[in-house]
Amino acid sequence: MTVYAAPGQPGSPVRYQDRYDHWIGGESVPPAKGQYFENPTPVTGRTFCEIARGTAEDVEKALDAAHGAAPAWGRTSAAERANILNRIADRMEANLETLAIAETWENGKPVRETLAADLPLAIDHFRYFAGAIRAQEGSLSELDDDTVAYHFHEPLGVVGQIIPWNFPILMATWKLAPALAAGNAVVLKPAEQTPASIHYLMSLVGDLLPPGVVNIVNGFGVEAGKPLASSSRVAKVAFTGETTTGRLIMQYASEHIKPVTLELGGKSPNIFFDDVSASRDDFHDKALEGFTMFALNQGEVCTCPSRALIQQGHYRDFLDAAIERTRAIVQGNPLDTGTMVGAQASNDQLEKILSYLDIGRQEGASVLTGGERADLPGELAGGYYVQPTIFEGNNAMRVFQEEIFGPVVSVAPFADFADAIKIANDTLYGLGAGVWTRDLNTAYRAGRAIQAGRVWTNCYHAYPAHAAFGGYKSSGIGRENHKMMLDHYQQTKNLLVSYSPKAIGLF
Amino acid sequence: MASRVDITPAAAGVLRSLRGTHGPLMFHQSGGCCDGSSPMCFPEGEFRTGSSDVLLARLEVDGVEEPVTFWMSAEQFERWRHTHLTVDVVPGRGSGFSLEAPEGVRFLIRSRLLSAEERAALDG
């Protein structure tokens, strides 16, 4: 086990700047109004840098830079764009450890996750879209002997992207890689809770991109996000967040007749059929780990398996084993590679989770383990920690219906296949789901019957590039993580060409 | 009289301040991830409500001329209607496009179960 020194401390390979301006046109640009806000680490609750508090003036400046860069970038060959994405991936790979530490300090998530998941996935994502754009082809339709329809992929131009705080670098990468591969210039607004790590990334890879192709404007949603989302100068807005802001972004987009892609969260069911417990073997162990995945990233995942549905035949045995597995979670210093659960990303997130622990109890859900804020010693006492918590109740309770975005799972039994699907689909959302069974016919039928964009089958929380990710129902519009995302960043140019010298004869 | 939504004195203080800066205000209760499950505060009319929304309350706030409307999507309300909501405020950071975030605070919902009498009065 390794405990990394905190960034900026002796022995740490990571040093954040004391202050970050915007990144516009390939250089640091101070905010027009000269204001900054403090950025605390959730690990200790203490401020570690200041961030530019952007406003509409800064967004306009970034849009100017993006519009200046977009035409040339859009004409760059796919091979050259792919090379640049691959170089970004190589540079990130060479700096994987420092990026992982920086991300952990920014977000509060355990460094074992950033080392093993966030950064390796982000690196692979750039490489995937480098490959996808090289392999993409237009099409042609031979309409008759003299007439051909050619279909070209053209970039949209300048796009706006608003990034969430739960995987700051990885979620930025999910949006940047396809947009850049497709030939767009980007104005990106990081979440105000996690505004710094993307600047740390740009300090490593910024020189690889032509100035103005990627521009980062920091600030609060209402002051910087809204001017970006409502601008007539962006051809598309991509947003990951929640339903009200998602609707508001669609409303702004409707004013300019612009498309949006939205990823708005979920309340994902994780279904364990009786046959999971037919044997105490590796598969049973894997299923228990799959249950415990609700605590991954402190539950701050849009696809958190926050509703565990366990068939009644093995309900008590499986749940007892799951409680034991949950109690074995190691919570502590996120910079310790032995830590499995770190800090919630912000104080307001901590408060919201505690409010749900309260209403869950009031509604009569039983707390099987956890249920409280975690008090950690020393420097960590000021951080935002919550005990991994298992509620037992029924699907009508608020803790079964609303995304808590914390390490909290709500457990209920089900009788049979039909009951499982009914409960699983009794939700406003449809982003992710899990199905666990040794019977592949059951697995297939359940996967098809669940109204969600991603059904993990005998696995959970895997996010490889080349597997489409996106929501049914209120969970959003669009599919990230797959080459089909290129379509969301391109428009089709049709050349309808006649090779006949003859008039049609109408006039 | 039974109500679905109340507001704490601290949250009312923040609303008074926001009213001075931004004019009449509204809430729309968010669902879903990241900053979701939180009340979003906008200038009245900024968020276009429609047939998919329910008006839960017109909050009277001392020092604020007009009521502050509190909305929720109808399908979310069906799953929340058995609970009473109190708008509170905590130190915080981000919140979609909600107005209070730059002030270093975040509106937050605290909930309790409605009593049988309250439900009878409210649901008719």
Side-chain angles (χ1 to χ4, degrees):
Chain A
M1 295 300 165
T2 302
V3 182
Y4 290 104
Q9 295 301 306
S12 175
V14 180
R15 178 168 291 278
Y16 272 110
Q17 295 173 204
D18 293 337
R19 169 182 276 191
Y20 286 96
D21 290 316
H22 306 305
W23 175 261
I24 296 174
E27 57 187 14
S28 291
V29 175
K33 292 196 169 160
Q35 291 183 304
Y36 295 82
F37 64 95
E38 294 186 338
N39 183 35
T41 170
V43 177
T44 66
R46 292 201 199 103
T47 297
F48 68 95
C49 65
E50 282 187 332
I51 302 290
R53 180 174 164 182
T55 55
E57 296 88 336
D58 303 316
V59 171
E60 286 304 314
K61 195 178 278 185
L63 286 168
D64 290 344
H67 278 280
W73 179 245
R75 287 193 301 272
T76 306
S77 71
E80 196 172 336
R81 291 201 301 272
N83 282 342
I84 289 175
L85 295 188
N86 278 322
R87 279 185 212 120
I88 290 172
D90 292 346
R91 193 75 70 78
M92 291 173 74
E93 195 164 48
N95 294 278
L96 192 154
E97 190 177 33
T98 54
L99 282 164
I101 296 166
E103 185 74 322
T104 285
W105 194 241
E106 169 88 312
N107 169 277
K109 66 177 67 195
V111 74
R112 69 194 273 157
E113 279 181 27
T114 50
L115 286 168
D118 297 56
L119 270 304
L121 286 170
I123 292 161
D124 186 58
H125 209 75
F126 278 112
R127 290 183 177 143
Y128 172 74
F129 277 102
I133 199 65
R134 288 296 301 273
Q136 190 184 39
E137 291 181 345
S139 68
L140 66 84
S141 311
E142 189 175 345
L143 301 173
D144 58 44
D145 194 42
D146 292 321
T147 318
V148 181
Y150 298 95
H151 299 107
F152 296 87
H153 299 291
E154 294 187 351
L156 295 175
V158 173
V159 299
Q161 303 184 329
I162 298 178
I163 310 300
W165 46 259
N166 55 346
F167 296 84
I169 291 176
L170 181 60
M171 291 300 103
T173 299
W174 278 20
K175 291 190 170 28
L176 281 172
L180 297 176
N184 300 282
V186 175
V187 177
L188 179 148
K189 194 195 91 64
E192 48 268 53
Q193 295 93 331
T194 54
S197 63
I198 185 85
H199 286 287
Y200 188 80
L201 172 63
M202 292 310 289
S203 76
L204 297 173
V205 306
D207 63 300
L208 298 173
L209 287 158
V213 169
V214 172
N215 306 277
I216 299 169
V217 177
N218 285 103
F220 295 101
V222 63
E223 295 178 344
K226 179 185 162 187
L228 178 61
S230 59
S231 174
S232 62
R233 300 176 71 201
V234 295
K236 173 245 168 75
V237 176
F239 171 71
T240 295
E242 32 63 50
T243 56
T244 293
T245 309
R247 277 179 61 181
L248 192 55
I249 285 172
M250 289 186 87
Q251 292 176 0
Y252 294 143
S254 77
E255 294 172 16
H256 307 297
I257 315 182
K258 297 287 165 55
V260 296
T261 44
L262 303 170
E263 200 269 83
L264 304 178
K267 191 71 188 176
S268 302
N270 204 9
I271 303 173
F272 300 89
F273 286 96
D274 275 342
D275 65 21
V276 166
S277 295
S279 171
R280 296 290 186 274
D281 55 1
D282 280 352
F283 180 72
H284 184 256
D285 179 69
K286 184 187 183 190
L288 287 169
E289 183 189 46
F291 174 97
T292 316
M293 286 288 185
F294 75 89
L296 186 93
N297 207 47
Q298 296 69 245
E300 293 169 348
V301 192
C302 302
T303 37
C304 175
S306 53
R307 291 187 296 149
L309 309 179
I310 304 172
Q311 196 165 6
Q312 58 194 17
H314 74 144
Y315 181 78
R316 190 44 61 187
D317 287 348
F318 187 80
L319 185 52
D320 285 347
I323 294 167
E324 192 184 330
R325 190 68 157 249
T326 301
R327 287 181 176 148
I329 289 174
V330 177
Q331 184 165 32
N333 182 358
L335 290 169
D336 184 336
T337 56
T339 293
M340 301 174 192
V341 168
Q344 308 305 139
S346 65
N347 178 64
D348 42 314
Q349 186 57 27
L350 168 72
E351 292 279 357
K352 187 170 71 184
I353 296 164
L354 297 178
S355 80
Y356 271 98
L357 297 180
D358 176 43
I359 186 64
R361 284 190 174 92
Q362 287 189 55
E363 285 193 281
S366 311
V367 178
L368 303 184
T369 187
E372 307 287 345
R373 182 175 184 170
D375 292 317
L376 300 183
E379 284 222 305
L380 305 180
Y384 318 129
Y385 298 87
V386 176
Q387 297 170 353
T389 297
I390 302 176
F391 274 123
E392 186 180 29
N394 68 67
N395 200 55
M397 294 173 170
R398 290 257 308 269
V399 289
F400 280 80
Q401 288 295 334
E402 266 303 306
E403 189 157 0
I404 299 170
F405 231 54
V408 183
V409 63
S410 302
V411 181
F414 66 91
D416 54 19
F417 181 92
D419 194 32
I421 302 304
K422 177 168 165 284
I423 299 171
N425 286 336
D426 181 13
T427 172
L428 303 181
Y429 305 102
L431 190 56
V435 172
W436 298 84
T437 172
R438 298 169 193 264
D439 180 336
L440 285 178
N441 291 341
T442 301
Y444 174 77
R445 282 200 302 274
R448 295 302 299 269
I450 295 168
Q451 294 157 7
R454 157 76 57 87
V455 182
W456 280 281
T457 306
N458 293 335
C459 60
Y460 208 95
H461 268 338
Y463 298 91
H466 208 34
F469 180 85
Y472 280 32
K473 294 155 76 175
S474 293
S475 290
I477 301 170
R479 292 293 180 272
E480 298 188 287
N481 235 329
H482 190 269
K483 63 182 181 179
M484 63 180 72
M485 196 62 194
L486 289 173
D487 290 342
H488 293 296
Y489 284 107
Q490 293 173 321
Q491 52 196 336
T492 300
K493 169 63 59 64
N494 167 233
L495 293 189
L496 185 53
V497 181
S498 169
Y499 292 100
S500 166
K502 302 285 188 195
I504 296 174
L506 288 174
F507 295 100
Chain B
M1 207 173 86
S3 74
R4 293 196 181 277
V5 187
D6 278 331
I7 187 156
T8 63
V14 174
L15 282 179
R16 275 190 290 281
S17 162
L18 293 175
R19 170 66 178 83
T21 311
H22 301 283
L25 302 170
M26 67 182 290
F27 282 109
H28 191 275
Q29 173 65 39
S30 188
C33 87
C34 298
D35 301 326
S37 309
S38 293
M40 299 293 177
C41 184
F42 303 119
E44 179 74 53
E46 175 79 15
F47 183 97
R48 271 154 271 170
T49 54
S51 58
S52 65
D53 296 294
V54 177
L55 177 61
L56 272 69
R58 297 173 185 276
L59 298 167
E60 301 289 342
V61 181
D62 279 346
V64 173
E65 217 168 291
E66 63 287 319
V68 177
T69 54
F70 189 102
W71 297 84
M72 186 184 294
S73 81
E75 53 179 10
Q76 190 171 336
F77 175 62
E78 282 312 306
R79 293 153 198 269
W80 285 50
R81 66 183 307 151
H82 61 291
T83 54
H84 178 277
L85 312 178
T86 300
V87 181
D88 196 3
V89 68
V90 294
R93 169 81 345 140
S95 50
F97 295 176
S98 197
L99 290 172
E100 78 284 10
E103 316 301 323
V105 294
R106 180 73 194 96
F107 288 119
L108 176 83
I109 287 292
R110 302 196 187 279
S111 308
R112 65 169 174 81
L113 295 181
L114 288 166
S115 68
E117 295 74 29
E118 285 175 314
R119 291 207 65 176
L122 290 167
D123 290 341

